[in-house]
Amino acid sequence: MQGDFLQETYEGGLKGVVRRRVEEFLSRQGLRYDKGIQYTVVLYDRQGEVAATGSLEKNVLKCIAVDEKWRGEGLTATVVSALLSQAFQQNRQHLFLFTKPRNKQMFLEFGFYEISRTEDILLMENKKDGIDSFVASLRRGQGSQGAVVANCNPFTLGHRYLIEQAAKACDTLHLFVLSEDASLFPADVRMELVKKGTAHLPNVLVHPTSDYLISSATFPTYFLKEEQIEKGAGGQLDLVVFGQHFAPALDIRCRFVGQEPFSPITALYNKQMQEILPRFGIQVVEIPRKEEGGAAISASRVRALLAEGKMDEVRALVPDTTWEFLQSPAGQDIARKAGESR
């Protein structure tokens, strides 16, 4: 016992009765238990009821809540301390936290600082000016400046077409490649394929996103394609982060995006982009998809063909640089993993 409360910790996603009870508890607090959670702390009162809880997904603290009747008892500190201890044991030093905007002052006391917020969500990190320091480290461009944010899993002729069209429309194009390692093609491979695939475009600056754009911290549901985005909150927060921090620092006035006929999540994200980014003085330009064989080229189509071993069809959808990688031992290993995941 810790005082009048029993503390239990759970590795991996919750299951069974514990999950149901935590989900019901969070629902009463206006929160939702997220897929992808890897560690959870639960405090139970003397009657065995959930009094407080919090979870960790990679380097993100989330789903933190305390029953109203137990507020003021220091339970938040107990939960957050346990989550921080677990994160540090995993050598995760740079941490993010999701909470309600009304809780900002509470988490300032734990050493977290605001990044951005929507009406319902506040995103914080444990580095003061962390995001602004990261953006300040990126290369600057000249003249009119635009941006593309892409996963490139892998880099296709469709990506190259989008980037070429965007690069023609501005003096400098900032190309952000997702740093999150939650895709078939690892982050370092995707970055290298993008750099090689755009080397012929002198006005394109290729950047990583770190944890700040389309990541587990800013847009976790992006990587759970089967999930529906409740109220679009994940995508909204990510776009506010871009509009508040990246765009003004790099003088980005236009963001280019490809039309999305396949992924409902990405299509919704594009719609949100049209609604949110103009508030920050950023024009959104949607570019039609490049087609091959009467169908739009997409990375998902390439991955499906890899899984089926249809390399001749893959060849028609990717640039030489991506094809050369796919012929390498590392590329063949990824193709094999795609087939095993079918």
Side-chain angles (χ1 to χ4, degrees), residues 14-26:
L14 297 180
K15 296 180 176 63
V17 174
V18 174
R19 175 160 178 163
R20 177 179 57 78
R21 294 178 67 190
V22 169
E23 286 180 334
E24 291 174 353
F25 175 77
L26 289 173

Side-chain angles (χ1 to χ4, degrees), residues 7-308:
Q7 177 176 320
E8 297 283 1
T9 58
Y10 303 89
E11 301 276 355
L14 297 180
K15 296 180 176 63
V17 174
V18 174
R19 175 160 178 163
R20 177 179 57 78
R21 294 178 67 190
V22 169
E23 286 180 334
E24 291 174 353
F25 175 77
L26 289 173
S27 179
R28 292 195 297 271
Q29 315 302 319
L31 298 172
R32 182 184 66 177
Y33 180 81
D34 291 339
K35 284 190 175 183
I37 282 174
Q38 299 163 325
Y39 182 83
T40 298
V41 178
V42 183
L43 301 182
Y44 298 95
D45 64 18
R46 285 175 178 259
Q47 285 69 48
E49 298 297 324
V50 177
T53 186
S55 295
L56 186 68
E57 179 184 350
K58 297 181 180 177
N59 62 336
V60 183
L61 283 68
K62 56 172 56 176
C63 302
I64 300 171
V66 176
D67 191 290
E68 185 174 353
K69 68 181 177 181
W70 296 118
R71 289 173 189 171
E73 299 290 329
L75 300 193
T76 300
T78 301
V79 169
V80 171
S81 295
L83 296 177
L84 292 176
S85 176
Q86 176 69 12
F88 293 148
Q89 285 181 31
Q90 297 174 348
N91 199 32
R92 299 186 185 277
Q93 304 298 319
H94 187 193
L95 303 177
F96 295 82
L97 182 147
F98 277 123
T99 189
K100 297 286 187 179
R102 66 173 180 266
N103 296 329
K104 176 180 177 178
Q105 187 59 43
M106 178 195 310
F107 290 107
L108 285 174
E109 297 172 6
F110 291 109
F112 284 85
Y113 303 89
E114 178 172 348
I115 294 177
S116 291
R117 67 172 71 192
T118 65
E119 182 179 349
D120 301 315
I121 298 176
L122 171 66
L123 177 64
M124 308 180 78
E125 65 177 328
N126 67 340
K127 285 186 178 181
K128 188 175 183 180
D129 301 321
I131 187 169
D132 293 325
S133 296
F134 172 74
V135 176
S137 73
L138 302 176
R139 289 176 60 194
R140 269 38 184 177
Q142 297 179 343
S144 61
Q145 304 196 51
V148 169
V149 182
N151 196 17
C152 300
N153 180 39
F155 187 73
T156 69
L157 289 174
H159 291 119
R160 191 176 72 180
Y161 175 78
L162 167 65
I163 293 161
E164 287 174 341
Q165 297 307 303
K168 291 177 183 177
C170 55
D171 296 316
T172 301
L173 181 68
H174 296 274
L175 174 53
F176 295 95
V177 182
L178 272 55
S179 298
E180 184 87 6
D181 241 332
S183 302
L184 177 63
F185 286 75
D188 59 340
V189 170
R190 289 185 284 103
M191 176 63 79
E192 188 63 22
L193 292 180
V194 170
K195 287 181 176 179
K196 289 181 177 179
T198 60
H200 62 296
L201 300 170
N203 66 327
V204 173
L205 302 180
V206 182
H207 308 296
T209 59
S210 186
D211 293 295
Y212 295 115
L213 292 177
I214 310 186
S215 70
S216 294
T218 65
F219 194 175
T221 48
Y222 178 86
F223 302 97
L224 300 172
K225 297 298 189 182
E226 73 281 5
E227 286 284 289
Q228 294 299 315
I229 306 174
E230 282 193 11
K231 301 180 182 179
Q236 291 174 355
L237 178 61
D238 183 81
L239 292 166
V240 170
V241 170
F242 181 84
Q244 286 185 337
H245 296 279
F246 284 80
L250 298 172
D251 197 27
I252 294 170
R253 304 297 178 86
C254 186
R255 183 154 160 182
F256 300 90
V257 62
Q259 287 181 343
E260 183 49 67
F262 303 109
S263 167
I265 284 182
T266 305
L268 177 56
Y269 181 62
N270 289 356
K271 181 180 179 182
Q272 292 172 340
M273 204 179 300
Q274 299 276 4
E275 297 170 353
I276 294 172
L277 291 188
R279 302 175 196 168
F280 297 95
I282 304 166
Q283 178 187 10
V284 178
V285 177
E286 194 170 53
I287 296 176
R289 288 261 187 165
K290 183 176 178 63
E291 294 190 355
E292 170 63 34
I297 298 174
S298 71
S300 59
R301 182 179 169 193
V302 170
R303 295 193 303 273
L305 292 171
L306 284 175
E308 295 169 9

